Amino acid sequence: MLPFKLVYHKGYDLNLGEHVFPSQKFRLIAEALLSEGAAEARDFLTPAAAVDEDMLRVHTADWLHKLKTGTLSASEIMKLEIPFSREAVEACWLAAGGSILAGQSALRDGFGCNLGGGFHHAHSGHGEGFCAIHDVAVAIRRLQADGAIRTAMVVDTDVHHGNGTAAIFAKDESVFTLSIHQLNNYPAYKPPSNVDLDMADRVEDDEYLGALIPAVQSALDEFKPQIVFYVGGADPFCEDQLGGLMLTKKGLKERDRRVFEVARRRGIPVATALAGGYARRVEDTVRIHVNTILAAREVALNFPSVSAAGQQ
Ligand SMILES: [Zn+2]
């Protein structure tokens, strides 16, 4: 049994077929965790779809209406880069509900892991880059509305800049945003996060970790958030089709473990969401995401309680 909960819904699958986005990965990750004995059925929570009240704290009523009624313009669908369908819209609402549940679980257990979400390119009034709804932003604003937290930090390790996150929280001093990404990659315009770590093409494990870990440490020490939302992209992987960094699977797991450890040592709960992963072999993407959960388990077991972890 895991010392924290996994959040998953079979409706996460956007049913995109042969698309570069392997939307079946959500199911494959859940199945791998179960079949390898890393998790049991009772470790899973099933999210409900987010309600409109939650969505409206981040998104415009106009954008939500277009998604729900299927009235996006041709250019809005083109910007999304995924075919529009009822299933895809339902998956977005479920992913947002999943990130809310992962955040609530993290506040209770120290970790909470959504086996979906991380749709960090979604903006308040439009979607782009496979992202229609910003699940992590919806979750943060819900936890704030409930009075469960005042402050949060988003640590985004997807190979693509977290432009939606940066834009949504640009004028919000209660949320600190940190993105590590390949500079020479989508999106072309990168609105500033609080900290942007721009990686050159083909950066490898050591250089990447050497930039990320000290930056996360000082951001946590300076801002002292009440929760970290970790957007754990699998696409900095060296064989990713949409990424140009050279990280190994071992380096990516080390990335996750070290970020979790620096948060845990400071007594800060961590909620995780998945984000991108477009390896040539879908098994690699699945493995990298599974490793994020295994890294969380390792850190949770090494530091049994958030309050006992202490400041270091
Ligand atoms: Zn990405």
Side-chain angles (χ1 to χ4, degrees), residues 222-257:
E222 181 196 326
F223 188 71
K224 298 185 171 55
Q226 291 170 299
I227 190 169
V228 168
F229 274 83
Y230 181 69
V231 177
D235 49 11
F237 180 49
C238 54
E239 291 178 30
D240 196 88
Q241 300 173 87
L242 301 184
L245 300 185
M246 295 300 287
L247 272 70
T248 63
K249 278 184 259 189
K250 188 162 170 262
L252 287 161
K253 186 177 180 191
E254 183 64 7
R255 170 197 71 174
D256 299 342
R257 195 191 62 73

Side-chain angles (χ1 to χ4, degrees), residues 120-121 158-160 233 235 242 275-278:
H120 62 159
H121 299 310
D158 190 278
V159 79
H160 305 102
D235 49 11
L242 301 184
Y278 316 94

Side-chain angles (χ1 to χ4, degrees), residues 131-188:
C131 303
I133 290 292
H134 200 306
D135 55 285
V136 166
V138 170
I140 289 171
R141 292 246 162 100
R142 166 64 185 271
L143 295 180
Q144 289 179 321
D146 286 348
I149 59 163
R150 280 179 295 101
T151 59
M153 181 180 293
V154 180
V155 175
D156 185 339
T157 62
D158 190 278
V159 79
H160 305 102
H161 178 258
N163 59 337
T165 319
I168 288 166
F169 294 118
K171 294 192 174 82
D172 185 343
E173 291 188 354
S174 69
V175 180
F176 189 104
T177 56
L178 183 153
S179 175
I180 182 167
H181 47 263
Q182 183 189 4
L183 179 62
N184 180 29
N185 202 329
Y186 175 93

Side-chain angles (χ1 to χ4, degrees), residues 49-59 64 68 93 138:
V51 297
D52 286 356
E53 190 185 357
D54 292 330
M55 296 298 214
L56 284 164
R57 291 191 195 97
V58 172
H59 293 287
L64 297 176
K68 286 201 284 192
W93 258 252
V138 170

